[in-house]
Amino acid sequence: MGVGGRTPELSSKLILVPILAVIFVMIGYQYICPAGSNPCHFKDLEDDSPPRSPSKFNFSARDLDRHVEFNIRGDDVIVFLHIQKTGGTTFGRHLVRNIRLEQPCDCRQGQKKCTCHRPGKEESWLFSRFSTGWSCGLHADWTELTNCVPVVMDKKEAQRNKRNFYYITMLRDPVSRYLSEWKHVQRGATWKTALHMCDGRSPTQDELPNCYSGDDWSGVTLTEFMNCPSNLANNRQVRMLADLNLVGCYNLSSMNESQRNLILLSSAMSNLKNMAFYGLTEFQRKTQYLFERTFSLRFISAFTQINSTRAANVELSELVRRRIEELNFLDMQLYEYAKDLFLQRFQFSRQREHQEVRLKRREERRSEKGTDGDFPATTEDYTSQVARW
C-alpha cells in the first residue's frame, strides 16, 4: 500500500488529472485564439483605458469610422506629420521596420533612411523621416507638408499620377511633451534648421525671435525655458496641426491674440479630426490597434508602453504645473478633444470588430448546417448588415 493507503496506480492517476486539464486548456486556447489572431492579440486593450466619463464632444459615425481602402500598389501615400517629443521617432521606426508587407522596407545597417517601395515599383508609399527624410524641412508642420509633399513627390518620381495622401500623426499629453522638449533643448537640441515655411517664406527674425544667443540653449533652466515668449514649445501641437495661413502665418500683428488663438485651435481640431489616423503616446496598444484597423496593415511585434521617461522623472510643484498648462492652454484643449475622439474611435472600432466576428460565426454555422435562415447571402449583404449594426 502507498502512503495514506493509496495505491501507486491511484496516486499516478491523481497527478495525471491536473496535467491533462492544463493541456486541455492550452489546446482550447490555441483553438479559440490561434497565433496571430487579432482579437486575442489585443485581448488586454482595456487595461490602459482611463475611467470613461461622459463625452464633452458630439462626434458623428463618420467621425468615428476611420477605415480607409489604402492601396499600397496604387497611388496612395501615408504622410507622417512628426511633432517633436510625441513618441514620433518610435512610431516612425514602427512604420518602416515593423509592418508586415509583401515587399518590406529595405532598412540597411548604418543608414538613417529606409527604402519603402510599392511592390514591383520604384515608388514610395510612405512619406516620413525614416523613408524620404526631412524632404519638406525639419519637423515640417501641416501648413508646410500640405503645400510641399505633392511637389516633392512629383520631383522624385517620374510618373505623376493623382495620389491620395493619408495624413497621420502622434499627440502627447501637453505637460509631458513640454517637459520632454525642455530636457531635449537643455541637452543641446535646437531644430534651428526648421524652415517654418508659410505663405511662401520663412518668418523674419522680428516675427520669430530666438530664445537664446549662441549656438544652442544648453543648460537652460525650466524657468528660463518658460519665460521666453517666442518659445515654439508653447502650444506646439496646435501650431503644427493648424493652417497658419488663416492667421497670417507668424505675423502676430495681423489680428488680435484672442481671435488668433480661436482660429488656430479650431483649425487644428478640424485638421486632426479629418486626418486618416492619429495616435496618442499614452495609449500605445490602442494606437497600434487603430492604425491596423484603419489601414488594414498589421505590425509584426506589439507596441510597448514606456512610462519611465525623462519628463515623468521631473518633479513639479503645483504652481509650476499650472504655469506650464497656462503656457500650453491651446494644446490642453486640443489634447482633451483628441483624447475623447481617440477613445470613442477605439470603442467604435472594437464594437464593429465584435459585430463582424459574430456575423462571421453565424455565416460559418449556416454553411455547416446548410440552412438559409436570416443570414446574409452575399459579401455585399454581409457588408451592409455590418454597416447597419
Side-chain angles (χ1 to χ4, degrees):
M1 294 291 288
V3 177
R6 293 177 181 172
T7 64
E9 293 81 2
L10 181 58
S11 298
S12 299
K13 289 179 181 178
L14 290 174
I15 293 172
L16 192 60
V17 169
I19 295 175
L20 290 173
V22 171
I23 294 173
F24 177 79
V25 170
M26 292 176 66
I27 293 173
Y29 178 82
Q30 289 298 318
Y31 177 77
I32 298 169
C33 292
S37 171
N38 243 14
C40 297
H41 183 61
F42 292 106
K43 65 183 182 300
D44 58 349
L45 273 170
E46 310 299 335
D47 294 349
D48 60 354
S49 296
R52 291 308 304 272
S53 56
S55 173
K56 292 183 179 180
F57 308 97
N58 293 320
F59 297 112
S60 66
R62 184 176 179 180
D63 297 331
L64 302 181
D65 187 358
R66 259 328 189 233
H67 178 74
V68 298
E69 298 294 337
F70 181 70
N71 184 3
I72 197 169
R73 289 179 166 274
D75 302 304
D76 294 352
V77 180
I78 293 176
V79 182
F80 180 35
L81 193 165
H82 184 172
I83 302 173
Q84 289 96 318
K85 314 314 295 177
T86 58
T89 298
T90 299
F91 185 75
R93 289 197 180 103
H94 281 306
L95 293 176
V96 296
R97 296 177 181 272
N98 193 24
I99 297 182
R100 186 174 286 109
L101 298 170
E102 176 185 342
Q103 181 175 321
C105 294
D106 183 10
C107 300
R108 302 186 180 182
Q109 190 172 4
Q111 294 184 358
K112 293 183 178 180
K113 293 190 294 183
C114 304
T115 301
C116 296
H117 283 159
R118 307 182 191 280
K121 296 182 180 179
E122 298 293 312
E123 299 176 2
S124 180
W125 59 269
L126 175 65
F127 191 99
S128 76
R129 166 189 178 181
F130 290 119
S131 57
T132 51
W134 300 114
S135 302
C136 290
L138 180 63
H139 286 287
D141 56 36
W142 189 93
T143 307
E144 293 175 291
L145 287 176
T146 52
N147 284 281
C148 168
V149 171
V151 177
V152 167
M153 296 209 73
D154 281 345
K155 287 181 180 178
K156 286 188 175 184
E157 298 172 1
Q159 189 173 358
R160 299 189 178 185
N161 298 332
K162 181 176 173 58
R163 299 181 184 88
N164 301 311
F165 295 108
Y166 295 103
Y167 282 80
I168 66 174
T169 195
M170 290 288 292
L171 295 183
R172 186 179 181 184
D173 165 72
V175 174
S176 296
R177 199 215 64 80
Y178 189 83
L179 290 172
S180 182
E181 180 162 343
W182 162 57
K183 298 298 286 185
H184 198 56
V185 169
Q186 192 181 55
R187 297 192 302 274
T190 63
W191 300 301
K192 63 172 63 176
T193 58
L195 301 175
H196 305 304
M197 290 291 291
C198 183
D199 195 23
R201 66 176 181 86
S202 295
T204 65
Q205 181 65 29
D206 290 336
E207 290 173 333
L208 191 58
N210 289 330
C211 284
Y212 57 90
S213 59
D215 294 334
D216 56 42
W217 211 2
S218 295
V220 60
T221 66
L222 181 55
T223 300
E224 292 169 335
F225 193 74
M226 293 189 295
N227 285 344
C228 178
S230 60
N231 190 349
L232 289 180
N234 301 339
N235 295 311
R236 183 180 287 279
Q237 295 180 102
V238 164
R239 181 185 61 77
M240 291 193 69
L241 290 174
D243 182 355
L244 300 181
N245 292 288
L246 299 174
V247 294
C249 300
Y250 293 88
N251 180 9
L252 301 183
S253 64
S254 62
M255 62 184 65
N256 65 60
E257 185 179 2
S258 61
Q259 184 183 7
R260 178 184 177 86
N261 289 338
L262 184 63
I263 293 173
L264 284 173
L265 180 59
S266 176
S267 177
M269 286 179 171
S270 176
N271 290 339
L272 184 71
K273 182 179 71 173
N274 292 322
M275 280 184 170
F277 162 85
Y278 69 88
L280 298 183
T281 310
E282 290 75 18
F283 301 99
Q284 290 293 318
R285 289 173 293 178
K286 288 180 172 61
T287 293
Q288 176 181 356
Y289 173 81
L290 284 177
F291 181 90
E292 292 184 343
R293 289 283 294 179
T294 299
F295 290 101
S296 296
L297 295 171
R298 295 289 175 263
F299 289 101
I300 299 167
S301 1
F303 286 17
T304 303
Q305 187 72 52
I306 301 175
N307 295 320
S308 179
T309 62
R310 288 188 175 92
N313 293 327
V314 176
E315 293 186 8
L316 295 179
S317 68
E318 189 58 34
L319 186 64
V320 172
R321 176 175 289 277
R322 283 202 302 268
R323 175 65 175 148
I324 294 175
E325 291 175 352
E326 289 168 2
L327 289 169
N328 293 275
F329 73 105
L330 295 179
D331 273 11
M332 295 295 292
Q333 294 175 75
L334 175 67
Y335 188 78
E336 181 184 26
Y337 174 89
K339 185 176 177 181
D340 193 311
L341 177 56
F342 177 87
L343 293 176
Q344 286 200 50
R345 281 180 175 173
F346 171 76
Q347 293 298 333
F348 181 90
S349 186
R350 290 285 279 177
Q351 289 170 6
R352 167 98 22 123
E353 181 187 28
H354 293 327
Q355 292 160 3
E356 290 169 355
V357 169
R358 285 198 295 268
L359 282 174
K360 184 178 180 181
R361 287 173 179 168
R362 290 173 65 187
E363 281 204 313
E364 288 172 349
R365 288 198 299 269
R366 185 195 67 174
S367 299
E368 290 171 358
K369 293 179 180 178
T371 58
D372 293 332
D374 60 345
F375 299 100
T378 65
T379 302
E380 290 76 13
D381 294 340
Y382 167 75
T383 304
S384 64
Q385 187 164 339
V386 171
R388 287 199 302 274
W389 281 24

